[in-house]
Amino acid sequence: MRRIVILISGRGSNMRAIIRAAQNEEWPAQIAAVISNKADASGLAYAAEHGIPALVVANKDYPSREAFDAALQSKIDSFVPDLVVLAGFMRVLTTPFVAHYAGRMLNIHPSLLPSFVGLATHRQALAAGVKLHGATVHFVTAELDHGPIVAQAAVPVEADDTEATLAARVLEQEHIIYPRAIRWFVDGRLSVQDGMVRISQEA
Ligand code: GRF
């Protein structure tokens, strides 16, 4: 069984989609823990209800980014994960933290990377007038919202879209591509060469 630790900051809808897929598809993997940097993250209750250890490591309790990341790392590592999944985890991570999980940490970003890094991606997309927008699952590297791309999904941008309607359309796709990408990792189908992800055929 592969062991997965999921990091969240809030609602945790991607986390729910991952927990659901792991159960329904009977992944050879266990969600070993869900950790939030915010005590009021609503996703924590869902994890706990599903018998998954749900913990808080609150960044506000630490004097620096380095101190927080060190505490978070030791909490994550106490669950001995094969994979760390960032699911709406709203923190910029330090380089040593990212290096420690090189090749075994995934993130989902709500844009078609490399377009629209950072925050307010749906607003950025509307302002740019793009006709397609979407989401990207990628391995985490030191540069924010960069890193080898595992999966993407595109959605149309409609003339009357608001940030909220566009976000909802993208989120629906996030809930499909993130569990799928994690499943590929669990099944040992992902490899990275020269910054590119290869997905091997199903065994
Ligand atoms: C998602 O849009 C994700 O791509 C972004 O933050 C949002 C988190 O939503 N990084 P949720 O907590 O998974 O519902």
Side-chain angles (χ1 to χ4, degrees):
M1 290 288 261
R2 301 289 188 108
R3 296 173 61 79
I4 300 171
V5 169
I6 303 178
L7 305 187
I8 63 170
S9 294
R11 138 190 94 171
S13 70
N14 278 287
M15 174 211 72
R16 287 169 210 225
I18 295 160
I19 292 171
R20 258 198 310 271
Q23 283 177 348
N24 294 346
E25 298 172 13
E26 299 182 346
W27 292 1
Q30 184 190 2
I31 312 301
V34 170
I35 304 176
S36 171
N37 66 313
K38 295 206 178 296
D40 61 357
S42 55
L44 286 169
Y46 181 90
E49 280 160 20
H50 284 73
I52 299 166
L55 300 91
V56 176
V57 181
N59 54 283
K60 68 171 179 45
D61 293 344
Y62 294 86
S64 65
R65 210 172 267 289
E66 288 70 23
F68 169 67
D69 278 8
L72 180 62
Q73 182 176 316
S74 78
K75 186 58 81 185
I76 294 169
D77 286 353
S78 70
F79 293 96
V80 203
D82 299 288
L83 177 67
V84 176
V85 169
L86 308 183
F89 186 63
M90 304 303 283
R91 294 282 305 171
V92 173
L93 299 164
T94 58
T95 304
F97 183 92
V98 171
H100 181 71
Y101 298 108
R104 54 190 183 113
M105 183 156 64
L106 292 174
N107 181 43
I108 191 157
H109 181 76
S111 79
L112 290 173
L113 290 174
S115 292
F116 313 136
V117 302
L119 297 173
T121 55
H122 310 302
R123 194 183 315 157
Q124 292 187 57
L126 290 173
V130 293
K131 303 299 182 213
L132 283 174
H133 183 44
T136 303
V137 177
H138 64 95
F139 280 102
V140 177
T141 54
E143 199 179 344
L144 181 71
D145 299 330
H146 282 69
I149 291 172
V150 180
Q152 291 186 303
V155 301
V157 180
E158 309 289 357
D160 58 354
D161 263 332
T162 62
E163 273 184 69
T165 59
L166 185 53
R169 195 175 306 121
V170 170
L171 192 64
E172 215 175 288
Q173 295 303 312
E174 294 184 37
H175 296 164
I176 297 169
I177 63 171
Y178 211 3
R180 184 183 297 158
I182 294 166
R183 178 74 202 258
W184 290 336
F185 183 96
V186 165
D187 288 343
R189 294 177 58 190
L190 300 182
S191 58
V192 182
Q193 256 171 31
D194 301 328
M196 307 275 187
V197 175
R198 281 183 62 116
I199 306 159
S200 67
Q201 292 301 310
E202 221 165 336

